[in-house]
PDB file of all heavy atoms in Angstrom:
ATOM      1  N   VAL A 477      18.093-126.451 -60.716  1.00 96.00           N
ATOM      2  CA  VAL A 477      18.014-127.231 -59.413  1.00 96.00           C
ATOM      3  C   VAL A 477      17.466-128.545 -59.544  1.00 96.00           C
ATOM      4  O   VAL A 477      16.267-128.678 -60.295  1.00 96.00           O
ATOM      5  CB  VAL A 477      17.260-126.426 -58.306  1.00 96.00           C
ATOM      6  CG1 VAL A 477      17.328-127.226 -57.091  1.00 96.00           C
ATOM      7  CG2 VAL A 477      17.784-124.989 -58.228  1.00 96.00           C
ATOM      8  N   PRO A 478      18.030-129.696 -59.154  1.00 96.00           N
ATOM      9  CA  PRO A 478      17.422-131.040 -59.325  1.00 96.00           C
ATOM     10  C   PRO A 478      16.050-131.000 -58.572  1.00 96.00           C
ATOM     11  O   PRO A 478      15.883-130.630 -57.443  1.00 96.00           O
ATOM     12  CB  PRO A 478      18.323-131.941 -58.614  1.00 96.00           C
ATOM     13  CG  PRO A 478      19.764-131.255 -58.542  1.00 96.00           C
ATOM     14  CD  PRO A 478      19.375-129.732 -58.523  1.00 96.00           C
ATOM     15  N   ASP A 479      15.114-131.628 -59.280  1.00 96.00           N
ATOM     16  CA  ASP A 479      13.773-131.580 -58.828  1.00 96.00           C
ATOM     17  C   ASP A 479      13.668-132.287 -57.431  1.00 96.00           C
ATOM     18  O   ASP A 479      12.907-131.770 -56.519  1.00 96.00           O
ATOM     19  CB  ASP A 479      12.740-132.236 -59.835  1.00 96.00           C
ATOM     20  CG  ASP A 479      12.507-131.442 -61.015  1.00 96.00           C
ATOM     21  OD1 ASP A 479      12.850-130.233 -61.065  1.00 96.00           O
ATOM     22  OD2 ASP A 479      12.073-132.038 -62.069  1.00 96.00           O
ATOM     23  N   ASP A 480      14.321-133.415 -57.260  1.00 95.00           N
ATOM     24  CA  ASP A 480      14.215-134.145 -56.089  1.00 95.00           C
ATOM     25  C   ASP A 480      14.804-133.336 -54.861  1.00 95.00           C
ATOM     26  O   ASP A 480      14.307-133.506 -53.610  1.00 95.00           O
ATOM     27  CB  ASP A 480      14.994-135.503 -56.106  1.00 95.00           C
ATOM     28  CG  ASP A 480      14.170-136.510 -56.881  1.00 95.00           C
ATOM     29  OD1 ASP A 480      13.007-136.246 -57.280  1.00 95.00           O
ATOM     30  OD2 ASP A 480      14.650-137.600 -57.219  1.00 95.00           O
ATOM     31  N   LEU A 481      15.680-132.513 -55.098  1.00 96.00           N
ATOM     32  CA  LEU A 481      16.330-131.647 -53.959  1.00 96.00           C
ATOM     33  C   LEU A 481      15.247-130.832 -53.313  1.00 96.00           C
ATOM     34  O   LEU A 481      15.331-130.431 -52.139  1.00 96.00           O
ATOM     35  CB  LEU A 481      17.391-130.849 -54.476  1.00 96.00           C
ATOM     36  CG  LEU A 481      18.182-130.006 -53.582  1.00 96.00           C
ATOM     37  CD1 LEU A 481      19.046-130.890 -52.603  1.00 96.00           C
ATOM     38  CD2 LEU A 481      19.005-128.919 -54.154  1.00 96.00           C
ATOM     39  N   LEU A 482      14.239-130.403 -54.161  1.00 97.00           N
ATOM     40  CA  LEU A 482      13.293-129.473 -53.686  1.00 97.00           C
ATOM     41  C   LEU A 482      12.330-129.979 -52.541  1.00 97.00           C
ATOM     42  O   LEU A 482      11.888-129.172 -51.654  1.00 97.00           O
ATOM     43  CB  LEU A 482      12.378-128.916 -54.844  1.00 97.00           C
ATOM     44  CG  LEU A 482      13.121-128.190 -55.965  1.00 97.00           C
ATOM     45  CD1 LEU A 482      12.234-127.930 -57.178  1.00 97.00           C
ATOM     46  CD2 LEU A 482      13.718-126.853 -55.452  1.00 97.00           C
ATOM     47  N   TYR A 483      12.107-131.290 -52.583  1.00 96.00           N
ATOM     48  CA  TYR A 483      11.394-131.904 -51.573  1.00 96.00           C
ATOM     49  C   TYR A 483      12.135-132.723 -50.711  1.00 96.00           C
ATOM     50  O   TYR A 483      12.674-133.749 -50.932  1.00 96.00           O
ATOM     51  CB  TYR A 483      10.344-132.868 -52.201  1.00 96.00           C
ATOM     52  CG  TYR A 483       9.071-133.076 -51.323  1.00 96.00           C
ATOM     53  CD1 TYR A 483       8.055-132.151 -51.104  1.00 96.00           C
ATOM     54  CD2 TYR A 483       8.946-134.304 -50.737  1.00 96.00           C
ATOM     55  CE1 TYR A 483       6.947-132.455 -50.236  1.00 96.00           C
ATOM     56  CE2 TYR A 483       7.883-134.684 -49.871  1.00 96.00           C
ATOM     57  CZ  TYR A 483       7.003-133.709 -49.625  1.00 96.00           C
ATOM     58  OH  TYR A 483       5.894-133.977 -48.835  1.00 96.00           O
ATOM     59  N   PRO A 484      12.490-132.221 -49.362  1.00 96.00           N
ATOM     60  CA  PRO A 484      13.477-132.869 -48.580  1.00 96.00           C
ATOM     61  C   PRO A 484      13.370-134.311 -48.272  1.00 96.00           C
ATOM     62  O   PRO A 484      14.476-135.042 -48.340  1.00 96.00           O
ATOM     63  CB  PRO A 484      13.343-132.044 -47.258  1.00 96.00           C
ATOM     64  CG  PRO A 484      12.739-130.753 -47.678  1.00 96.00           C
ATOM     65  CD  PRO A 484      11.852-131.030 -48.888  1.00 96.00           C
ATOM     66  N   LYS A 485      12.247-134.826 -48.180  1.00 96.00           N
ATOM     67  CA  LYS A 485      12.072-136.316 -47.815  1.00 96.00           C
ATOM     68  C   LYS A 485      12.726-137.115 -48.913  1.00 96.00           C
ATOM     69  O   LYS A 485      13.186-138.297 -48.681  1.00 96.00           O
ATOM     70  CB  LYS A 485      10.625-136.664 -47.556  1.00 96.00           C
ATOM     71  CG  LYS A 485      10.424-138.061 -46.933  1.00 96.00           C
ATOM     72  CD  LYS A 485       8.975-138.188 -46.428  1.00 96.00           C
ATOM     73  CE  LYS A 485       8.849-139.550 -45.811  1.00 96.00           C
ATOM     74  NZ  LYS A 485       7.420-139.733 -45.354  1.00 96.00           N
ATOM     75  N   LYS A 486      12.514-136.760 -50.198  1.00 96.00           N
ATOM     76  CA  LYS A 486      13.161-137.484 -51.308  1.00 96.00           C
ATOM     77  C   LYS A 486      14.682-137.630 -51.284  1.00 96.00           C
ATOM     78  O   LYS A 486      15.281-138.541 -51.798  1.00 96.00           O
ATOM     79  CB  LYS A 486      12.691-136.754 -52.649  1.00 96.00           C
ATOM     80  CG  LYS A 486      11.185-136.901 -52.888  1.00 96.00           C
ATOM     81  CD  LYS A 486      10.884-136.313 -54.302  1.00 96.00           C
ATOM     82  CE  LYS A 486       9.335-136.527 -54.588  1.00 96.00           C
ATOM     83  NZ  LYS A 486       8.983-135.801 -55.889  1.00 96.00           N
ATOM     84  N   THR A 487      15.303-136.639 -50.502  1.00 96.00           N
ATOM     85  CA  THR A 487      16.739-136.762 -50.471  1.00 96.00           C
ATOM     86  C   THR A 487      17.295-137.600 -49.428  1.00 96.00           C
ATOM     87  O   THR A 487      18.524-137.824 -49.261  1.00 96.00           O
ATOM     88  CB  THR A 487      17.386-135.343 -50.266  1.00 96.00           C
ATOM     89  OG1 THR A 487      17.033-134.837 -48.936  1.00 96.00           O
ATOM     90  CG2 THR A 487      16.816-134.307 -51.277  1.00 96.00           C
ATOM     91  N   TRP A 488      16.416-138.101 -48.489  1.00 97.00           N
ATOM     92  CA  TRP A 488      16.787-138.809 -47.435  1.00 97.00           C
ATOM     93  C   TRP A 488      16.631-140.356 -47.773  1.00 97.00           C
ATOM     94  O   TRP A 488      15.758-140.901 -48.318  1.00 97.00           O
ATOM     95  CB  TRP A 488      15.909-138.662 -46.187  1.00 97.00           C
ATOM     96  CG  TRP A 488      16.198-137.436 -45.382  1.00 97.00           C
ATOM     97  CD1 TRP A 488      16.171-136.212 -45.798  1.00 97.00           C
ATOM     98  CD2 TRP A 488      16.383-137.265 -43.976  1.00 97.00           C
ATOM     99  NE1 TRP A 488      16.413-135.288 -44.931  1.00 97.00           N
ATOM    100  CE2 TRP A 488      16.570-136.013 -43.637  1.00 97.00           C
ATOM    101  CE3 TRP A 488      16.571-138.227 -42.899  1.00 97.00           C
ATOM    102  CZ2 TRP A 488      16.886-135.521 -42.428  1.00 97.00           C
ATOM    103  CZ3 TRP A 488      16.770-137.831 -41.665  1.00 97.00           C
ATOM    104  CH2 TRP A 488      16.909-136.483 -41.436  1.00 97.00           C
ATOM    105  N   THR A 489      17.761-141.172 -47.540  1.00 95.00           N
ATOM    106  CA  THR A 489      17.602-142.637 -47.651  1.00 95.00           C
ATOM    107  C   THR A 489      16.786-143.179 -46.528  1.00 95.00           C
ATOM    108  O   THR A 489      16.046-144.125 -46.810  1.00 95.00           O
ATOM    109  CB  THR A 489      19.093-143.186 -47.505  1.00 95.00           C
ATOM    110  OG1 THR A 489      19.922-142.601 -48.570  1.00 95.00           O
ATOM    111  CG2 THR A 489      19.079-144.722 -47.755  1.00 95.00           C
ATOM    112  N   ASP A 490      17.011-142.670 -45.350  1.00 95.00           N
ATOM    113  CA  ASP A 490      16.176-143.151 -44.186  1.00 95.00           C
ATOM    114  C   ASP A 490      14.909-142.279 -44.065  1.00 95.00           C
ATOM    115  O   ASP A 490      14.860-141.359 -43.407  1.00 95.00           O
ATOM    116  CB  ASP A 490      16.917-142.965 -42.917  1.00 95.00           C
ATOM    117  CG  ASP A 490      16.337-143.512 -41.663  1.00 95.00           C
ATOM    118  OD1 ASP A 490      15.162-144.025 -41.806  1.00 95.00           O
ATOM    119  OD2 ASP A 490      16.882-143.371 -40.549  1.00 95.00           O
ATOM    120  N   LYS A 491      13.824-142.806 -44.796  1.00 95.00           N
ATOM    121  CA  LYS A 491      12.546-142.074 -44.696  1.00 95.00           C
ATOM    122  C   LYS A 491      11.907-141.922 -43.254  1.00 95.00           C
ATOM    123  O   LYS A 491      11.391-140.911 -42.909  1.00 95.00           O
ATOM    124  CB  LYS A 491      11.574-142.715 -45.626  1.00 95.00           C
ATOM    125  CG  LYS A 491      12.033-143.030 -47.032  1.00 95.00           C
ATOM    126  CD  LYS A 491      12.449-141.678 -47.757  1.00 95.00           C
ATOM    127  CE  LYS A 491      12.914-141.955 -49.252  1.00 95.00           C
ATOM    128  NZ  LYS A 491      13.478-140.777 -49.815  1.00 95.00           N
TER     129      LYS A 491
END
Side-chain angles (χ1 to χ4, degrees):
V477 181
D479 290 345
D480 284 352
L481 181 75
L482 298 170
Y483 199 76
K485 191 170 184 177
K486 291 183 179 180
T487 69
W488 283 57
T489 302
D490 180 6
K491 307 300 183 187

